[in-house]
Amino acid sequence: MMDEAVLARVRERLRGATSVCAFTGAGMSAESGIATFRDALTGLWARFDPAQLASEEGFRDDPARAWAWYAERRAGVRAAEPNAGHHALAAFARRHPGRLTVVSQNVDDLHQRAGNTDTVRLHGDMLADRWLQRCPRAQACDPADAAPGTPPRCAECGNLVRPGVVWFGEVLPGAAFDAAERAVRGCGVLLVVGTSGAVWPAAGLVSLARMAGAHVVIVNPQPSEIDDEADELVAGTAAEVLPALLDTL
Ligand code: APR
């Protein structure tokens, strides 16, 4: 049961904030049926070794296995629907143009399908294809034209297609991280929704926001590794809490 007093305090803060940032993780999509990474019982990593599936080394080691895992996850994302939490954020953005920035660690497209099409993608887009190697041609080939396979590959040079996500050990896209830093530094309220705070540098955005004066609100049914950065902890799920916080604003 959500604590109504906490919700009322956070709504009051949101009313007074000219700029709001929502920083989301896998828990944001959990109620859409997409498994999180670290939840003990359901988390994907509980069944897989991350290094084997979400790293360049793991992909090169067994491209077919990694590609099959991503194909399964892609099918899950395509079959999923944005949940009430995604819709609450998108509706708030429609009612208050320019006031909300969504920064997500998620590689699904649920924020975008709900309407937050300008979501900052810190860890890339799992539904996008890219080449494993840089294409040697002056006019790079399009991965969409790759020959079918698991994974698809360039019929000319054998280059493999990989998903457009940031793998363990890879740097985050500079433009996205810069946009995320600007958003968290400039917001009056940072809503941190559905993240364990276990993965850096993304998790560091929360302390950056706090140092810049943002009021930090963590929405999570469980404790997270960044709870000590929070001004308010709202114990609840994205699909329950976000409508309760945003729908009347
Ligand atoms: N609503 C809100 N939070 C939820 C819900 C829900 N319905 N269900 C689970 N959670 C919380 C869990 O309590 C947990 O704290 O979501 C969090 C999910 O944590 P992780 O699985 O670690 O996902 P995330 O924090 O997004 O991981 C960060 O790690 O593996 C990399 O690139 C991957 O982007 C990912 C990054």
Side-chain angles (χ1 to χ4, degrees):
M1 193 58 192
M2 293 181 283
D3 181 330
E4 187 43 49
V6 173
L7 293 175
R9 281 202 303 269
V10 175
R11 279 194 291 264
E12 203 43 43
R13 284 280 180 169
L14 287 165
R15 277 192 197 93
T18 49
S19 175
V20 177
C21 181
F23 173 54
T24 67
M28 182 76 226
S29 300
E31 285 152 293
S32 297
I34 296 179
T36 65
F37 295 95
R38 290 174 185 82
D39 276 349
L41 295 180
T42 58
L44 284 175
W45 299 138
R47 304 202 300 274
F48 296 98
D49 171 1
Q52 291 306 305
L53 294 168
S55 67
E56 181 171 340
E57 186 191 349
F59 186 86
R60 287 180 182 279
D61 179 47
D62 188 339
R65 176 182 58 190
W67 185 259
W69 180 58
Y70 278 102
E72 183 190 323
R73 288 178 64 201
R74 284 176 166 185
V77 167
R78 290 197 176 98
E81 291 297 331
N83 61 54
H86 295 105
H87 288 305
L89 287 169
F92 179 87
R94 281 193 298 274
R95 291 194 303 274
H96 304 280
R99 200 166 151 206
L100 171 70
T101 304
V102 179
V103 173
S104 188
Q105 300 173 88
N106 297 341
V107 292
D108 62 48
D109 62 347
L110 298 184
H111 280 304
Q112 291 80 358
R113 280 161 54 193
N116 287 115
T117 51
D118 56 352
T119 295
V120 178
R121 284 183 170 277
L122 285 177
H123 293 161
D125 178 357
M126 184 170 61
L127 301 183
D129 284 340
R130 50 178 277 207
W131 291 118
L132 182 61
Q133 313 268 101
R134 277 176 56 80
C135 177
R137 291 168 176 270
Q139 175 62 36
C141 299
D142 182 345
D145 300 332
T150 50
R153 64 191 60 216
C154 174
E156 307 265 308
C157 70
N159 200 356
L160 298 180
V161 173
R162 56 162 284 185
V165 297
V166 178
W167 277 334
F168 285 109
E170 293 183 327
V171 293
L172 272 60
F177 199 71
D178 291 348
E181 280 190 324
R182 280 194 304 276
V184 301
R185 281 205 169 104
C187 69
V189 175
L190 178 71
L191 294 173
V192 182
V193 186
T195 183
S196 60
V199 171
W200 293 70
L205 291 168
V206 179
S207 51
L208 209 58
R210 187 175 176 74
M211 285 187 290
H215 190 74
V216 176
V217 178
I218 290 184
V219 177
N220 198 322
Q222 304 294 333
S224 80
E225 295 186 23
I226 44 178
D227 281 4
D228 55 0
E229 299 285 354
D231 296 290
E232 291 282 8
L233 292 171
V234 184
T237 69
E240 291 164 352
V241 171
L242 291 176
L245 285 181
L246 300 172
D247 283 2
T248 57
L249 300 185

